[in-house]
Amino acid sequence: MSDIYLEVNLHNLYYNLSKIKEQLSNDTMIMAVVKGNAYGHGSVEIAKALSGDVNYFGVGLLDEGVELRKNGLELPIFLMGPTEEFDIVYENNITMSICSLNQLRKLIDWTENNKKTIKFHLKVETGMNRFGIDYDQLEEVKSLCEKATCAILEGVYSHFATTYKNNRSYVLGQKEKFDKYITFFNQHYNGLIYHICNSENTIDYKEAHYNMVRLGNALYGPCNSKKRIGLKKIADIRAKIIYSKSIKAGEHIGYGNSYKSKQDKTIGIVPMGFYCGMGLIKKPIGSKFGSVIIYYLKEIYRYLFRNKTVIFYKGKPLEILGRPNMQYTIVDITGLDDPDEIMVEIKISPIFVKENIKRTYISEVKS
Ligand SMILES: *Cc1c(COP(=O)(O)O)cnc(C)c1O
Protein backbone atom coordinates (compact mmCIF):
# COMPACT_ATOMS: atom_id res chain seq x y z
CA MET A 1 0.00 0.00 0.00
CA SER A 2 1.31 3.45 -0.75
CA ASP A 3 2.32 5.73 2.09
CA ILE A 4 -0.40 8.19 1.27
CA TYR A 5 -3.68 8.00 -0.62
CA LEU A 6 -7.07 9.62 -0.85
CA GLU A 7 -9.67 7.08 0.15
CA VAL A 8 -13.02 7.70 -1.50
CA ASN A 9 -15.98 5.89 -0.02
CA LEU A 10 -18.47 5.19 -2.79
CA HIS A 11 -21.02 3.93 -0.32
CA ASN A 12 -21.24 7.46 1.06
CA LEU A 13 -21.49 8.86 -2.46
CA TYR A 14 -24.55 6.66 -3.13
CA TYR A 15 -25.93 7.58 0.25
CA ASN A 16 -25.66 11.29 -0.55
CA LEU A 17 -27.29 10.81 -3.92
CA SER A 18 -30.19 8.91 -2.35
CA LYS A 19 -30.64 11.64 0.27
CA ILE A 20 -30.79 14.28 -2.45
CA LYS A 21 -33.18 12.18 -4.53
CA GLU A 22 -35.60 12.23 -1.61
CA GLN A 23 -35.89 15.96 -2.28
CA LEU A 24 -36.69 15.56 -5.98
CA SER A 25 -39.80 14.64 -7.91
CA ASN A 26 -39.52 11.35 -9.79
CA ASP A 27 -39.24 13.00 -13.16
CA THR A 28 -36.54 15.53 -12.24
CA MET A 29 -33.35 14.63 -14.04
CA ILE A 30 -29.94 14.81 -12.41
CA MET A 31 -26.75 16.16 -13.84
CA ALA A 32 -23.79 14.99 -11.77
CA VAL A 33 -21.18 17.73 -11.94
CA VAL A 34 -17.76 16.12 -12.19
CA LYS A 35 -15.69 19.12 -13.20
CA GLY A 36 -12.32 19.71 -11.51
CA ASN A 37 -11.62 15.97 -11.41
CA ALA A 38 -14.97 15.52 -9.62
CA TYR A 39 -13.96 18.13 -7.04
CA GLY A 40 -10.73 16.20 -6.55
CA HIS A 41 -12.29 12.76 -6.07
CA GLY A 42 -11.40 11.39 -9.52
CA SER A 43 -13.84 12.16 -12.33
CA VAL A 44 -13.69 8.86 -14.21
CA GLU A 45 -14.30 6.69 -11.17
CA ILE A 46 -16.99 8.96 -9.77
CA ALA A 47 -18.72 9.08 -13.16
CA LYS A 48 -18.53 5.30 -13.48
CA ALA A 49 -19.96 4.89 -10.00
CA LEU A 50 -22.87 7.21 -10.77
CA SER A 51 -23.65 6.32 -14.35
CA GLY A 52 -26.61 4.08 -13.55
CA ASP A 53 -28.20 6.66 -11.28
CA VAL A 54 -27.97 10.02 -13.02
CA ASN A 55 -28.95 11.40 -16.44
CA TYR A 56 -26.10 13.71 -17.35
CA PHE A 57 -22.53 14.48 -16.46
CA GLY A 58 -21.52 18.12 -16.22
CA VAL A 59 -17.95 19.18 -16.96
CA GLY A 60 -16.30 22.59 -17.02
CA LEU A 61 -13.60 22.02 -19.64
CA LEU A 62 -13.74 20.22 -22.96
CA ASP A 63 -10.79 18.00 -21.97
CA GLU A 64 -12.74 16.77 -18.97
CA GLY A 65 -15.52 15.58 -21.24
CA VAL A 66 -13.08 13.93 -23.63
CA GLU A 67 -11.49 12.11 -20.69
CA LEU A 68 -14.87 10.62 -19.73
CA ARG A 69 -15.53 9.45 -23.30
CA LYS A 70 -12.03 7.95 -23.54
CA ASN A 71 -12.83 5.93 -20.47
CA GLY A 72 -15.99 4.52 -21.94
CA LEU A 73 -18.66 6.65 -20.28
CA GLU A 74 -21.74 6.82 -22.43
CA LEU A 75 -24.20 9.11 -20.69
CA PRO A 76 -24.81 12.56 -22.15
CA ILE A 77 -22.03 14.96 -21.20
CA PHE A 78 -22.77 18.65 -20.82
CA LEU A 79 -19.93 21.11 -21.21
CA MET A 80 -20.80 24.08 -18.99
CA GLY A 81 -17.91 26.28 -20.10
CA PRO A 82 -17.48 27.84 -23.54
CA THR A 83 -15.48 26.33 -26.40
CA GLU A 84 -15.08 26.79 -30.12
CA GLU A 85 -13.48 23.41 -30.78
CA PHE A 86 -16.56 22.10 -32.51
CA ASP A 87 -14.77 19.16 -34.12
CA ILE A 88 -13.77 17.75 -30.73
CA VAL A 89 -17.23 18.44 -29.35
CA TYR A 90 -18.76 16.57 -32.27
CA GLU A 91 -16.36 13.61 -32.19
CA ASN A 92 -16.98 13.09 -28.50
CA ASN A 93 -20.73 13.61 -28.66
CA ILE A 94 -20.70 16.40 -26.12
CA THR A 95 -23.62 18.72 -25.51
CA MET A 96 -22.48 22.31 -25.64
CA SER A 97 -23.32 25.39 -23.73
CA ILE A 98 -23.93 28.49 -25.83
CA CYS A 99 -23.70 31.79 -24.05
CA SER A 100 -23.47 34.46 -26.72
CA LEU A 101 -24.91 35.29 -30.12
CA ASN A 102 -21.44 35.25 -31.57
CA GLN A 103 -20.81 31.73 -30.32
CA LEU A 104 -24.20 30.62 -31.60
CA ARG A 105 -23.40 31.96 -35.08
CA LYS A 106 -20.08 30.12 -35.08
CA LEU A 107 -21.72 26.88 -34.00
CA ILE A 108 -24.34 27.19 -36.72
CA ASP A 109 -21.72 27.96 -39.37
CA TRP A 110 -19.63 24.98 -38.36
CA THR A 111 -22.51 22.50 -38.19
CA GLU A 112 -23.99 23.66 -41.51
CA ASN A 113 -20.63 23.62 -43.30
CA ASN A 114 -19.75 20.18 -42.01
CA LYS A 115 -23.27 18.75 -42.07
CA LYS A 116 -22.74 17.46 -38.55
CA THR A 117 -25.17 17.68 -35.67
CA ILE A 118 -24.30 19.21 -32.31
CA LYS A 119 -26.75 19.59 -29.45
CA PHE A 120 -26.60 22.63 -27.21
CA HIS A 121 -28.22 24.31 -24.24
CA LEU A 122 -28.55 28.05 -24.22
CA LYS A 123 -27.12 29.77 -21.16
CA VAL A 124 -29.22 32.77 -20.19
CA GLU A 125 -28.29 35.67 -17.94
CA THR A 126 -30.32 36.01 -14.75
CA GLY A 127 -27.93 37.67 -12.32
CA MET A 128 -24.63 35.82 -12.15
CA ASN A 129 -23.17 38.07 -14.86
CA ARG A 130 -20.57 35.59 -15.99
CA PHE A 131 -21.68 33.86 -19.21
CA GLY A 132 -25.14 34.22 -20.69
CA ILE A 133 -27.49 35.56 -23.33
CA ASP A 134 -29.65 38.55 -22.40
CA TYR A 135 -33.40 38.61 -22.67
CA ASP A 136 -33.39 41.25 -25.40
CA GLN A 137 -31.29 38.94 -27.59
CA LEU A 138 -33.89 36.18 -27.69
CA GLU A 139 -35.58 37.19 -30.94
CA GLU A 140 -32.19 37.07 -32.60
CA VAL A 141 -31.48 33.67 -31.03
CA LYS A 142 -34.78 32.41 -32.32
CA SER A 143 -34.24 33.56 -35.87
CA LEU A 144 -30.73 32.06 -35.91
CA CYS A 145 -32.02 28.74 -34.56
CA GLU A 146 -34.82 28.63 -37.12
CA LYS A 147 -32.31 28.72 -39.95
CA ALA A 148 -30.06 26.09 -38.37
CA THR A 149 -30.62 22.47 -39.31
CA CYS A 150 -27.72 20.77 -37.51
CA ALA A 151 -27.33 22.82 -34.33
CA ILE A 152 -30.04 21.47 -32.06
CA LEU A 153 -31.38 23.46 -29.13
CA GLU A 154 -32.00 20.91 -26.38
CA GLY A 155 -32.22 23.05 -23.27
CA VAL A 156 -32.11 26.47 -21.65
CA TYR A 157 -30.33 27.07 -18.39
CA SER A 158 -28.95 29.60 -15.98
CA HIS A 159 -26.89 29.60 -12.82
CA PHE A 160 -27.72 30.92 -9.36
CA ALA A 161 -25.16 33.43 -8.11
CA THR A 162 -26.05 32.85 -4.47
CA THR A 163 -28.05 30.54 -2.27
CA TYR A 164 -31.55 30.58 -0.92
CA LYS A 165 -29.95 30.51 2.50
CA ASN A 166 -27.68 33.52 2.01
CA ASN A 167 -29.81 35.81 -0.11
CA ARG A 168 -33.28 34.52 -0.67
CA SER A 169 -34.61 37.57 -2.47
CA TYR A 170 -31.76 37.53 -5.00
CA VAL A 171 -32.44 33.88 -5.72
CA LEU A 172 -36.16 34.57 -6.11
CA GLY A 173 -35.32 37.43 -8.47
CA GLN A 174 -33.14 35.16 -10.57
CA LYS A 175 -35.89 32.56 -10.76
CA GLU A 176 -38.37 35.21 -11.83
CA LYS A 177 -36.07 36.27 -14.66
CA PHE A 178 -35.52 32.65 -15.64
CA ASP A 179 -39.29 32.14 -15.79
CA LYS A 180 -39.53 35.00 -18.29
CA TYR A 181 -37.05 33.25 -20.58
CA ILE A 182 -38.99 30.01 -20.18
CA THR A 183 -42.23 31.73 -21.15
CA PHE A 184 -40.54 32.95 -24.31
CA PHE A 185 -39.15 29.53 -25.23
CA ASN A 186 -42.37 27.70 -24.42
CA GLN A 187 -44.12 29.83 -27.02
CA HIS A 188 -41.79 28.59 -29.72
CA TYR A 189 -40.39 25.20 -28.69
CA ASN A 190 -41.57 21.96 -27.14
CA GLY A 191 -39.76 19.67 -24.76
CA LEU A 192 -36.76 21.78 -23.89
CA ILE A 193 -34.83 20.91 -20.73
CA TYR A 194 -34.79 23.80 -18.26
CA HIS A 195 -32.33 23.89 -15.37
CA ILE A 196 -30.91 26.40 -12.93
CA CYS A 197 -30.26 24.71 -9.55
CA ASN A 198 -26.87 23.82 -8.11
CA SER A 199 -26.58 21.71 -4.94
CA GLU A 200 -27.64 24.15 -2.24
CA ASN A 201 -30.62 25.51 -4.10
CA THR A 202 -31.68 22.01 -5.10
CA ILE A 203 -31.97 21.15 -1.43
CA ASP A 204 -33.60 24.39 -0.31
CA TYR A 205 -35.69 25.50 -3.24
CA LYS A 206 -37.83 22.81 -4.80
CA GLU A 207 -39.81 25.27 -6.94
CA ALA A 208 -36.66 25.92 -8.96
CA HIS A 209 -35.92 22.32 -9.94
CA TYR A 210 -37.61 22.52 -13.38
CA ASN A 211 -36.58 19.48 -15.50
CA MET A 212 -33.11 18.93 -14.14
CA VAL A 213 -30.80 19.84 -11.24
CA ARG A 214 -27.03 20.11 -11.41
CA LEU A 215 -25.38 18.54 -8.41
CA GLY A 216 -21.78 19.16 -7.48
CA ASN A 217 -20.64 19.53 -3.91
CA ALA A 218 -23.67 17.89 -2.26
CA LEU A 219 -22.65 14.60 -3.88
CA TYR A 220 -19.27 14.84 -2.23
CA GLY A 221 -20.22 15.90 1.28
CA PRO A 222 -22.20 18.26 3.49
CA CYS A 223 -22.97 21.51 1.71
CA ASN A 224 -24.10 24.91 2.75
CA SER A 225 -27.85 24.40 2.39
CA LYS A 226 -30.30 25.66 5.00
CA LYS A 227 -32.04 22.34 5.21
CA ARG A 228 -29.78 19.64 6.64
CA ILE A 229 -30.35 16.30 4.97
CA GLY A 230 -27.54 14.30 6.53
CA LEU A 231 -25.00 14.32 3.73
CA LYS A 232 -21.71 12.59 4.48
CA LYS A 233 -18.18 13.40 3.51
CA ILE A 234 -16.98 10.83 1.02
CA ALA A 235 -13.18 11.11 1.20
CA ASP A 236 -10.26 11.29 3.58
CA ILE A 237 -6.56 11.21 3.05
CA ARG A 238 -4.81 8.38 4.82
CA ALA A 239 -1.08 8.52 5.33
CA LYS A 240 1.53 6.50 7.08
CA ILE A 241 3.96 8.02 9.53
CA ILE A 242 7.04 7.33 7.41
CA TYR A 243 9.66 8.21 10.02
CA SER A 244 9.72 8.90 13.72
CA LYS A 245 12.28 9.98 16.28
CA SER A 246 12.66 11.27 19.81
CA ILE A 247 13.65 14.80 20.55
CA LYS A 248 14.64 16.51 23.76
CA ALA A 249 13.09 19.48 25.48
CA GLY A 250 14.49 22.71 24.09
CA GLU A 251 15.18 21.41 20.57
CA HIS A 252 13.88 23.19 17.50
CA ILE A 253 11.81 21.48 14.86
CA GLY A 254 11.48 22.41 11.23
CA TYR A 255 12.35 25.37 9.03
CA GLY A 256 12.84 28.81 10.41
CA ASN A 257 12.92 27.47 13.97
CA SER A 258 9.19 27.65 13.70
CA TYR A 259 8.67 25.35 16.69
CA LYS A 260 10.62 24.89 19.90
CA SER A 261 9.75 21.91 22.04
CA LYS A 262 9.08 22.44 25.73
CA GLN A 263 9.23 18.73 26.60
CA ASP A 264 10.79 15.51 25.38
CA LYS A 265 8.66 14.28 22.49
CA THR A 266 8.31 11.64 19.85
CA ILE A 267 7.77 13.24 16.48
CA GLY A 268 6.49 11.62 13.31
CA ILE A 269 6.74 12.65 9.69
CA VAL A 270 3.65 12.62 7.48
CA PRO A 271 4.46 12.45 3.75
CA MET A 272 2.34 15.37 2.74
CA GLY A 273 3.29 19.03 2.59
CA PHE A 274 1.99 22.22 1.08
CA TYR A 275 2.88 21.01 -2.41
CA CYS A 276 0.04 18.52 -2.09
CA GLY A 277 -2.38 20.88 -0.37
CA MET A 278 -1.40 20.79 3.27
CA GLY A 279 -1.68 23.94 5.31
CA LEU A 280 -2.99 26.22 2.62
CA ILE A 281 -4.23 29.30 4.36
CA LYS A 282 -6.96 31.48 2.98
CA LYS A 283 -5.91 35.09 2.82
CA PRO A 284 -8.32 37.94 2.24
CA ILE A 285 -8.14 39.22 -1.32
CA GLY A 286 -8.62 42.88 -2.03
CA SER A 287 -8.69 45.54 0.57
CA LYS A 288 -12.29 46.15 1.56
CA PHE A 289 -11.89 47.10 5.19
CA GLY A 290 -14.89 45.13 6.41
CA SER A 291 -13.87 41.88 4.76
CA VAL A 292 -10.32 42.10 6.09
CA ILE A 293 -11.61 42.68 9.62
CA ILE A 294 -14.00 39.74 9.30
CA TYR A 295 -11.17 37.57 8.03
CA TYR A 296 -9.01 38.32 11.07
CA LEU A 297 -11.90 37.89 13.49
CA LYS A 298 -12.50 34.46 11.98
CA GLU A 299 -8.83 33.60 12.31
CA ILE A 300 -8.85 34.60 15.97
CA TYR A 301 -11.97 32.51 16.51
CA ARG A 302 -10.31 29.55 14.82
CA TYR A 303 -7.20 30.00 16.91
CA LEU A 304 -9.10 30.15 20.16
CA PHE A 305 -11.89 27.67 19.71
CA ARG A 306 -11.12 25.27 16.95
CA ASN A 307 -8.54 22.64 16.56
CA LYS A 308 -5.73 23.98 14.49
CA THR A 309 -4.68 20.61 13.26
CA VAL A 310 -6.20 18.67 10.43
CA ILE A 311 -4.28 15.47 11.10
CA PHE A 312 -5.99 12.80 13.17
CA TYR A 313 -5.04 9.44 14.58
CA LYS A 314 -7.96 7.19 15.49
CA GLY A 315 -10.18 10.23 15.66
CA LYS A 316 -7.86 12.21 17.94
CA PRO A 317 -6.10 15.32 16.64
CA LEU A 318 -2.31 15.33 16.42
CA GLU A 319 -0.49 18.58 16.93
CA ILE A 320 1.36 19.86 13.87
CA LEU A 321 4.86 20.97 14.87
CA GLY A 322 6.18 23.95 12.98
CA ARG A 323 5.04 24.81 9.50
CA PRO A 324 4.29 22.19 6.85
CA ASN A 325 7.21 21.74 4.41
CA MET A 326 7.04 21.22 0.68
CA GLN A 327 6.37 17.48 0.97
CA TYR A 328 6.34 16.70 4.69
CA THR A 329 4.57 17.72 7.83
CA ILE A 330 5.86 16.95 11.33
CA VAL A 331 3.40 15.89 14.02
CA ASP A 332 3.58 15.06 17.71
CA ILE A 333 3.08 11.33 18.24
CA THR A 334 4.32 11.17 21.84
CA GLY A 335 2.79 8.24 23.66
CA LEU A 336 1.27 6.46 20.68
CA ASP A 337 1.80 2.70 20.66
CA ASP A 338 3.78 1.59 17.67
CA PRO A 339 5.21 4.48 15.70
CA ASP A 340 5.98 2.22 12.74
CA GLU A 341 2.36 1.29 12.19
CA ILE A 342 0.62 4.60 12.54
CA MET A 343 -1.85 5.56 9.83
CA VAL A 344 -3.22 9.05 10.17
CA GLU A 345 -6.20 10.74 8.57
CA ILE A 346 -5.80 14.16 7.05
CA LYS A 347 -8.91 16.25 6.79
CA ILE A 348 -8.56 18.65 3.93
CA SER A 349 -10.73 19.18 0.90
CA PRO A 350 -9.82 16.79 -1.95
CA ILE A 351 -9.94 19.79 -4.28
CA PHE A 352 -6.58 20.84 -2.85
CA VAL A 353 -5.04 17.39 -3.00
CA LYS A 354 -2.61 17.13 -5.92
CA GLU A 355 -3.46 14.70 -8.68
CA ASN A 356 -0.28 12.71 -8.04
CA ILE A 357 -1.72 11.42 -4.78
CA LYS A 358 -3.41 8.15 -5.56
CA ARG A 359 -7.18 7.89 -5.22
CA THR A 360 -8.48 4.57 -3.95
CA TYR A 361 -12.12 3.54 -3.91
CA ILE A 362 -13.98 1.48 -1.37
CA SER A 363 -17.68 0.90 -0.85
CA GLU A 364 -17.79 -0.05 2.79
CA VAL A 365 -20.36 1.17 5.23
CA LYS A 366 -18.48 3.42 7.64
CA SER A 367 -19.89 5.80 10.15
C1 LIG B 1 -20.00 23.94 -10.64
C2 LIG B 1 -21.33 24.15 -11.21
C3 LIG B 1 -22.44 23.50 -10.65
C4 LIG B 1 -22.38 22.66 -9.40
O1 LIG B 1 -22.34 23.51 -8.30
P1 LIG B 1 -22.43 22.95 -6.80
O2 LIG B 1 -22.70 24.16 -5.99
O3 LIG B 1 -21.12 22.32 -6.50
O4 LIG B 1 -23.55 21.98 -6.76
C5 LIG B 1 -23.67 23.68 -11.29
N1 LIG B 1 -23.77 24.45 -12.39
C6 LIG B 1 -22.73 25.10 -12.94
C7 LIG B 1 -22.93 25.93 -14.15
C8 LIG B 1 -21.47 24.97 -12.36
O5 LIG B 1 -20.43 25.62 -12.90
Coordinates of all heavy atoms in Angstrom, one line a residue, residues 33 35 39 80 130 159 198-200 214-217, ligand 1:
V33 N -22.3 16.8 -11.5 CA -21.2 17.7 -11.9 C -19.8 17.1 -11.5 O -19.6 16.9 -10.3 CB -21.4 19.1 -11.4 CG1 -20.2 20.1 -11.7 CG2 -22.7 19.7 -11.9
K35 N -16.8 18.2 -12.8 CA -15.7 19.1 -13.2 C -14.6 19.1 -12.1 O -14.8 18.6 -11.0 CB -16.2 20.5 -13.4 CG -16.6 21.2 -12.1 CD -17.3 22.6 -12.4 CE -17.8 23.2 -11.1 NZ -18.7 24.3 -11.3
Y39 N -14.3 17.4 -8.3 CA -14.0 18.1 -7.0 C -12.8 17.4 -6.3 O -12.8 17.4 -5.1 CB -15.2 18.3 -6.1 CG -16.3 19.2 -6.7 CD1 -16.8 19.0 -8.0 CD2 -16.9 20.1 -5.9 CE1 -17.8 19.8 -8.5 CE2 -17.9 20.9 -6.4 CZ -18.4 20.8 -7.7 OH -19.4 21.5 -8.2
M80 N -20.2 22.8 -19.5 CA -20.8 24.1 -19.0 C -20.0 25.3 -19.4 O -20.5 26.4 -19.5 CB -20.9 24.0 -17.5 CG -21.7 22.8 -17.0 SD -22.0 22.7 -15.2 CE -20.4 22.3 -14.7
R130 N -21.8 36.2 -15.5 CA -20.6 35.6 -16.0 C -20.8 35.3 -17.5 O -20.5 36.1 -18.3 CB -20.3 34.3 -15.2 CG -18.9 33.8 -15.4 CD -18.5 32.7 -14.4 NE -19.5 31.6 -14.4 CZ -19.3 30.5 -13.6 NH1 -18.3 30.4 -12.8 NH2 -20.2 29.5 -13.6
H159 N -27.7 30.0 -14.0 CA -26.9 29.6 -12.8 C -27.2 30.6 -11.7 O -27.1 31.8 -11.9 CB -25.4 29.6 -13.2 CG -24.5 28.9 -12.2 ND1 -24.8 27.7 -11.6 CD2 -23.3 29.3 -11.7 CE1 -23.8 27.4 -10.8 NE2 -22.9 28.3 -10.9
N198 N -28.1 24.5 -8.6 CA -26.9 23.8 -8.1 C -27.3 23.1 -6.8 O -28.4 23.0 -6.5 CB -25.7 24.8 -7.9 CG -26.1 25.8 -6.8 OD1 -27.3 26.0 -6.4 ND2 -25.1 26.4 -6.2
S199 N -26.3 22.6 -6.1 CA -26.6 21.7 -4.9 C -27.4 22.4 -3.9 O -28.5 21.9 -3.5 CB -25.3 21.3 -4.3 OG -24.5 20.5 -5.1
E200 N -27.0 23.5 -3.4 CA -27.6 24.2 -2.2 C -29.1 24.5 -2.6 O -30.0 24.2 -1.8 CB -26.9 25.4 -1.8 CG -25.7 25.2 -0.9 CD -24.4 25.0 -1.7 OE1 -24.5 25.0 -3.0 OE2 -23.4 24.7 -1.1
R214 N -28.5 20.4 -11.2 CA -27.0 20.1 -11.4 C -26.3 20.0 -10.1 O -26.2 21.0 -9.3 CB -26.4 21.3 -12.2 CG -27.1 21.5 -13.6 CD -26.3 22.5 -14.4 NE -26.1 23.8 -13.7 CZ -26.9 24.8 -13.9 NH1 -28.0 24.8 -14.6 NH2 -26.6 26.0 -13.2
L215 N -25.9 18.8 -9.7 CA -25.4 18.5 -8.4 C -23.9 18.4 -8.4 O -23.3 17.5 -9.1 CB -26.0 17.2 -7.9 CG -27.5 17.2 -7.8 CD1 -27.9 15.8 -7.3 CD2 -28.0 18.2 -6.8
G216 N -23.2 19.3 -7.7 CA -21.8 19.2 -7.5 C -21.5 18.8 -6.0 O -21.6 17.6 -5.6
N217 N -21.2 19.8 -5.2 CA -20.6 19.5 -3.9 C -21.5 18.7 -3.0 O -21.0 18.0 -2.1 CB -20.1 20.8 -3.2 CG -21.2 21.8 -2.9 OD1 -22.1 21.5 -2.1 ND2 -21.1 23.0 -3.5
Ligands
LIG1 C1 -20.0 23.9 -10.6 C2 -21.3 24.2 -11.2 C3 -22.4 23.5 -10.7 C4 -22.4 22.7 -9.4 O1 -22.3 23.5 -8.3 P1 -22.4 22.9 -6.8 O2 -22.7 24.2 -6.0 O3 -21.1 22.3 -6.5 O4 -23.6 22.0 -6.8 C5 -23.7 23.7 -11.3 N1 -23.8 24.4 -12.4 C6 -22.7 25.1 -12.9 C7 -22.9 25.9 -14.2 C8 -21.5 25.0 -12.4 O5 -20.4 25.6 -12.9

